[in-house]
Amino acid sequence: MIGRLDELNQLERFYNSSKFEFLTMYGRRRIGKTTILREFAGRHKALFFSAQEKNDSLNLLDFSKMVQTFFEGSFISSFQNWEAAFEYITGKISDKKLVLIIDEFPFLAEPNPSIKSILQHTIDHVWKGKNIFLILCGSSVSFMLNDVMGYKSPLYGRITGNMEVKPFDYLESAEFFPNYSKTEKAIAYGILGGVPRYLEAFSSEISLEENIKNNLLMEGAFLNDEPQTLLRIELREPSVYNSILEAISNGCNKVCEIADRIHEEKSKCSKYMLTLQTLRLIEKCVPCTEPETSKKGIYEITDNYYKFWYRFLFTNQNYYSMLGLELSCEEILENVNDYMGPVFEKICEQYLIRAARAKKLPFIPYKMGKWWGNNPLIKAQDDVDILAFDKTGKKVLLCECKFRNKPMPMEEYDDLVMAAEMFKNAEEKYLMFFSKSGFTESVKERAVRENAVLLTIEDLY
């Protein structure tokens, strides 16, 4: 099992508690929640039930079979109702911690909303004083946040912990491709993101080009139509969401721009985009120095595979089918450096987060991210790929990130130095440059003189 040590350690801490614990786990589909839970369940005495999209009676029957087989070794008959099922489990609780895991809980609670109240009553009157660890898990993020954890839910106030399972970062994702070069690992992450199921779809035993052709472009391959499949599962009007995601992937990153592009009302777009944010597919980004409510905010696709798919496959599927696998792959790779530019910035930001945790930066960033806005020194719009500052605002780190096939020239160095001049209040300024293909000799010499940090892609892994 790759990664997920933090998640497993957190589950172990709950298990080792001497009192009743109730954890909610959620995260988008394919993120690996069930894998984590099965790994954890395999270590302990655990009742593990995966709900399915069935009616309430059939789910209760499946639950009855699981519980009775676990305790008795065989199935006798279905419990009359959920109250009886939970009462039976109560009678089996001993001094040793009992773990009850219900995976895909929304599949239980949607056909039978009363199960939340039944659980609430059981917790309040029986389980609260018992040595039991209850875990409810779900892929419907909005349902878990609102219907399970929300203040209007009967279960509100009973939960002792929650866990959002998030995608792997670039370094964890690289473990799926031990045979790849550092650049190939970065591109694989740029294409697939950190979703385990997507990473597993590529094989480290074949080249990146072969993976793109066979596991992504080929009709019928798992990844070929995956974004469409998930949208159809999660949403009622996938066509509108498709249009929004395509617009964002093509550079329309404000609500008004997106509305104009897809010919929909701005209010309707805002509502749909909120849903996409809940699904963790897009996020609103503001310049690093601005508050979250800033009107300068723009929208970005957060999932790399969706970003890649809408950029290359969504509008080109018919074209690629005529072009053929070889030429389609060749055309994608010709444009991959341009696509990887913003992705590489995120990779570098993840590197800095890891470095900060390891206390390897000049200071611990209080806020970090991209900055864009007006530079009064050049009287024009300017940007900094990554800007970080400490809690006092007196220490500033500025980073330039370039994913190109040639060494970074002096012009890029000069641009960052000029941008640094804007931050007049900073008493300490640090410059850091990331470059896929290294740096020119003049840049290397200047960096030594000025104590700037130069990092290649090899240094990130």
Side-chain angles (χ1 to χ4, degrees):
M1 182 176 175
I2 293 175
R4 301 309 190 196
L5 292 178
D6 289 343
E7 289 85 350
L8 287 168
N9 288 337
Q10 186 175 344
L11 290 171
E12 291 294 338
R13 285 194 294 272
F14 280 104
Y15 179 82
N16 292 324
S17 165
S18 59
K19 62 184 191 318
F20 168 77
E21 298 290 355
F22 176 12
L23 175 80
T24 53
M25 176 187 284
Y26 61 98
R28 50 166 296 187
R29 295 180 191 275
R30 323 289 201 210
I31 207 69
K33 301 181 298 300
T34 301
T35 302
I36 296 169
L37 290 174
R38 288 200 180 281
E39 174 70 21
F40 174 71
R43 303 177 181 182
H44 304 290
K45 181 183 178 182
L47 289 157
F48 191 109
F49 177 67
S50 290
Q52 296 180 328
E53 287 188 278
K54 300 180 177 181
N55 65 30
D56 186 54
S57 297
L58 291 178
N59 265 319
L60 179 59
L61 175 62
D62 290 345
F63 187 79
S64 303
K65 288 178 181 178
M66 181 276 296
V67 170
Q68 292 171 25
T69 302
F70 181 86
F71 286 113
E72 310 296 345
S74 62
F75 170 60
I76 302 169
S77 64
S78 179
F79 294 113
Q80 186 176 359
N81 49 47
W82 288 103
E83 290 93 331
F86 296 143
E87 185 178 336
Y88 175 86
I89 292 172
T90 301
K92 298 295 183 179
I93 298 173
S94 63
D95 292 336
K96 187 177 181 181
K97 178 81 76 178
L98 175 66
V99 181
L100 172 58
I101 301 170
I102 301 180
D103 195 12
E104 291 302 347
F105 179 70
F107 290 161
L108 284 189
E110 285 176 337
N112 181 7
S114 68
I115 196 168
K116 291 176 288 182
S117 297
I118 295 168
L119 266 175
Q120 174 250 314
H121 185 271
T122 304
I123 291 168
D124 288 351
H125 293 85
V126 187
W127 287 356
K128 197 172 183 179
K130 301 289 184 179
N131 196 15
I132 185 170
F133 180 17
L134 172 65
I135 302 174
L136 301 184
C137 178
S139 296
S140 175
V141 176
S142 59
F143 186 93
M144 295 300 292
L145 291 175
N146 300 321
D147 293 68
V148 178
M149 300 163 60
Y151 72 94
K152 291 184 178 180
S153 168
L155 295 170
Y156 182 76
R158 280 83 184 169
I159 297 165
T160 58
N162 64 78
M163 179 192 299
E164 179 177 6
V165 181
K166 297 180 179 180
F168 289 133
D169 72 0
Y170 81 98
L171 198 57
E172 293 166 320
S173 299
E175 294 185 43
F176 287 81
F177 307 105
N179 301 329
Y180 279 14
S181 69
K182 304 298 191 295
T183 297
E184 288 172 332
K185 288 177 179 179
I187 294 173
Y189 175 72
I191 293 172
L192 303 168
V195 175
R197 182 64 184 88
Y198 300 165
L199 291 162
E200 289 173 343
F202 271 28
S203 170
S204 185
E205 302 301 317
I206 61 176
S207 69
L208 186 61
E209 290 82 357
E210 289 300 310
N211 269 311
I212 292 172
K213 285 186 290 186
N214 299 335
N215 298 314
L216 197 158
L217 289 173
M218 187 175 290
E219 189 173 344
F222 163 64
L223 288 173
N224 181 257
D225 201 36
E226 166 66 1
Q228 291 293 281
T229 301
L230 274 189
L231 287 184
R232 284 193 289 266
I233 291 172
E234 297 279 1
L235 305 166
R236 294 179 181 177
E237 295 183 78
S239 60
V240 180
Y241 293 100
N242 265 329
S243 302
I244 291 172
L245 289 165
E246 182 195 14
I248 296 174
S249 72
N250 283 289
C252 299
N253 49 33
K254 292 181 178 292
V255 177
C256 56
E257 295 173 352
I258 296 167
D260 288 344
R261 171 76 177 243
I262 69 173
H263 306 292
E264 294 283 2
E265 291 293 329
K266 184 178 174 181
S267 58
K268 183 176 181 178
C269 282
S270 297
K271 178 184 175 183
Y272 280 55
M273 289 167 71
L274 187 60
T275 301
L276 289 172
Q277 284 179 274
T278 303
L279 292 174
R280 306 300 193 256
L281 293 180
I282 67 171
E283 65 179 348
K284 183 180 180 182
C285 304
V286 298
C288 186
T289 54
E290 296 281 330
E292 293 298 319
T293 54
S294 172
K295 293 183 179 179
K296 296 180 181 179
I298 61 174
Y299 288 88
E300 294 180 350
I301 299 176
T302 54
D303 181 272
N304 282 357
Y305 186 61
Y306 277 71
K307 190 181 299 182
F308 178 89
W309 194 85
Y310 280 95
R311 167 81 174 266
F312 291 103
L313 272 72
F314 183 57
T315 54
N316 291 317
Q317 282 182 327
N318 292 331
Y319 167 66
Y320 285 160
S321 68
M322 293 184 287
L323 194 61
L325 294 178
E326 292 286 344
L327 292 176
S328 298
C329 179
E330 190 177 303
E331 186 171 298
I332 287 172
L333 290 175
E334 284 175 359
N335 293 283
V336 79
N337 279 0
D338 180 52
Y339 165 77
M340 282 294 296
V343 174
F344 189 55
E345 292 173 14
K346 294 294 184 182
I347 289 175
C348 296
E349 188 173 330
Q350 291 171 13
Y351 168 84
L352 292 174
I353 291 171
R354 283 180 170 268
R357 288 172 178 165
K359 307 298 186 290
K360 292 182 179 179
L361 292 183
F363 59 87
I364 301 298
Y366 180 68
K367 196 170 182 182
M368 179 162 57
K370 190 177 182 69
W371 177 88
W372 63 93
N374 182 60
N375 184 339
L377 299 177
I378 61 174
K379 297 180 180 178
Q381 289 294 302
D382 203 356
D383 67 87
V384 177
D385 291 339
I386 305 173
L387 175 68
F389 49 88
D390 73 342
K391 203 167 186 177
T392 67
K394 301 297 183 182
K395 298 178 182 180
V396 176
L397 170 67
L398 299 97
C399 306
E400 185 76 12
C401 313
K402 288 290 175 278
F403 199 89
R404 295 175 180 167
N405 291 332
K406 59 182 181 180
M408 182 183 288
M410 186 62 73
E411 289 82 1
E412 303 288 356
Y413 195 115
D414 289 333
D415 286 346
L416 193 62
V417 170
M418 179 64 73
E421 291 298 315
M422 287 187 295
F423 302 95
K424 301 292 186 183
N425 294 330
E427 297 173 359
E428 297 178 26
K429 297 178 184 177
Y430 302 90
L431 301 183
M432 190 176 289
F433 298 86
F434 298 86
S435 173
K436 169 195 169 189
S437 303
F439 306 86
T440 61
E441 288 302 317
S442 59
V443 168
K444 291 178 183 177
E445 292 168 3
R446 184 175 176 184
V448 171
R449 294 195 307 270
E450 299 180 358
N451 293 317
V453 177
L454 305 182
L455 297 171
T456 68
I457 200 163
E458 298 292 323
D459 299 311
L460 304 184
Y461 289 88

